[in-house]
Amino acid sequence: LDFDVLPKTVRCIRINQPVHEGFDEGWGVPHFTSRILLQSWDGFKWEDRNVFSGLGQGGWNDTMPLERTSWRIANFDRILLSWRVYELEFYDNEECAGTKIRGESVNSNPALLSQAQQAACWTDLGSCADNVFDQKIETGWESSCSPCDQRGAWVGLRFAQATEVKCFRLLQSEDVKHRTDALELAEWMGDHWETRRFESGVGGGTWN
């Protein structure tokens, strides 16, 4: 697709691949692909963005994550400016003890082109969700919304398989204009986020 002069971010794809002639009778050669590569044009060349697999034929397929494979925290209160989160930890036990759960970082910000995304991750504070999970309190993620309405800013992890988060630890900005006093922990259910926990009285500048 050519979006003309306005940059666009593609986060999800739906594709319909018909069955081949003779499919119902058990003969013929399939002409669909089970994997697709998403690319974007940076003005000079095509850049690889993502690979999606597990696609079938004879109906619609989409690239949304499977249910229970993503978790996030989102602001519940309106934030006056952008949300700044410096560290976030997910655990599979109620004591937030032991090894943290690892996964692929996801967030509410529009995706950047690869060079811009690399530059964001090199800065101490920017549109880089990896900074929230790098175990460095000096680096952080900043939302693109400013101000941020309820659930307008979120950051979390995507997993290869169904995972349950039972406890989390958060370190957000101490600046009242860049933090939320209430937040939600939510789980992805295949087509929507479902709240699993609500926390109020969340402070800034210290671990919660």
Side-chain angles (χ1 to χ4, degrees):
L1 292 177
D2 185 348
F3 297 109
D4 199 17
V5 296
L6 297 177
K8 298 290 183 180
T9 299
V10 175
R11 293 189 180 273
C12 184
I13 299 173
R14 298 185 72 232
I15 183 172
N16 191 320
Q17 302 180 98
V19 298
H20 61 276
E21 184 181 2
F23 173 82
D24 295 330
E25 290 77 26
W27 59 271
V29 179
H31 48 69
F32 77 100
T33 180
S34 61
R35 303 178 72 218
I36 57 175
L37 171 65
L38 176 65
Q39 296 180 315
S40 63
W41 181 253
D42 69 354
F44 301 95
K45 64 183 183 304
W46 289 102
E47 292 191 340
D48 296 347
R49 304 297 293 176
N50 211 336
V51 175
F52 301 101
S53 59
L55 305 177
Q57 60 179 330
W60 284 100
N61 289 257
D62 63 60
T63 61
M64 287 193 296
L66 299 176
E67 64 179 25
R68 304 184 184 280
T69 59
S70 297
W71 289 75
R72 76 176 188 183
I73 57 164
N75 68 303
F76 187 82
D77 289 345
R78 188 174 188 270
I79 303 175
L80 297 177
L81 296 177
S82 59
W83 193 16
R84 294 176 178 177
V85 179
Y86 292 94
E87 282 295 306
L88 175 62
E89 299 175 351
F90 287 151
Y91 294 86
D92 60 3
N93 60 82
E94 296 178 353
E95 293 77 30
C96 280
T99 303
K100 297 180 288 292
I101 303 176
R102 301 293 185 183
E104 176 189 357
S105 64
V106 293
N107 67 100
S108 55
N109 290 357
L112 304 175
L113 293 178
S114 60
Q115 290 185 346
Q117 189 62 69
Q118 289 178 0
C121 289
W122 289 336
T123 61
D124 290 340
L125 182 67
S127 182
C128 179
D130 287 348
N131 285 350
V132 173
F133 304 98
D134 63 0
Q135 303 181 61
K136 299 177 181 178
I137 62 174
E138 299 83 11
T139 62
W141 167 82
E142 184 170 25
S143 68
S144 59
C145 58
S146 181
C148 298
D149 293 328
Q150 186 179 73
R151 302 185 186 92
W154 56 266
V155 61
L157 289 176
R158 178 184 299 168
F159 308 101
Q161 58 189 11
T163 301
E164 184 176 6
V165 174
K166 296 183 178 180
C167 183
F168 71 89
R169 298 179 70 227
L170 169 76
L171 177 63
Q172 65 173 344
S173 175
E174 62 181 356
D175 190 334
V176 295
K177 296 182 179 180
H178 292 284
R179 77 178 193 223
T180 179
D181 293 329
L183 55 82
E184 292 179 335
L185 172 68
E187 179 182 15
W188 178 251
M189 299 307 295
D191 58 2
H192 69 281
W193 290 100
E194 192 165 304
T195 301
R196 297 302 184 203
R197 186 168 178 173
F198 172 79
E199 294 287 343
S200 61
V202 181
T206 59
W207 282 97
N208 294 270

